[in-house]
Amino acid sequence: MSMFLILVYDVGEKRVGKVLKICRKYLTWVQNSVLEGEITEAAYNRLKMELKRVIKEDEDSIIFYILRTTKYSERETMGVKKGGEEMFL
């Protein structure tokens, strides 16, 4: 079963590159510190496991917004449109 995931992170400067590299294996970059995409539950669990090895849980923050369906979702962007715009239905 897959889900639509929006991931938002705020991590220390030294870990930003590593976190982004891990996230891009699973999701599409949308803009600074934001990624999204369809992901299976197994891949979601692997993503969390990989991130847990890199972040410092007492300093960093990652938020996962899990949408079981995008049926009632809509995106509106103001200003500069960055990567991943076509992914959201």
Side-chain angles (χ1 to χ4, degrees):
M1 185 173 142
S2 70
M3 59 186 117
F4 191 82
L5 181 69
I6 300 171
L7 183 150
V8 180
Y9 64 89
D10 182 5
V11 299
E13 196 174 326
K14 292 180 180 178
R15 294 175 294 285
V16 168
K18 291 178 183 177
V19 167
L20 180 59
K21 186 175 181 179
I22 291 168
C23 293
R24 289 186 87 164
K25 291 188 331 191
Y26 299 93
L27 301 167
T28 302
W29 175 78
V30 179
Q31 66 180 35
N32 297 345
S33 304
V34 181
L35 296 99
E36 66 181 24
E38 291 282 334
I39 190 169
T40 64
E41 192 160 343
Y44 175 56
N45 289 329
R46 284 193 306 272
L47 169 62
K48 290 191 299 183
M49 190 171 53
E50 287 186 49
L51 289 171
K52 191 169 189 143
R53 287 187 215 137
V54 173
I55 69 167
K56 291 187 176 183
E57 292 192 40
D58 58 336
E59 295 178 24
D60 301 329
S61 174
I62 300 177
I63 300 172
F64 303 95
Y65 295 95
I66 302 164
L67 290 81
R68 300 295 176 197
T69 178
T70 57
K71 184 175 180 179
Y72 303 107
S73 300
E74 182 179 329
R75 175 200 278 167
E76 182 176 337
T77 305
M78 293 179 70
V80 177
K81 290 178 176 45
K82 296 190 177 184
E85 189 71 22
E86 72 285 348
M87 289 296 293
F88 200 78
L89 302 175

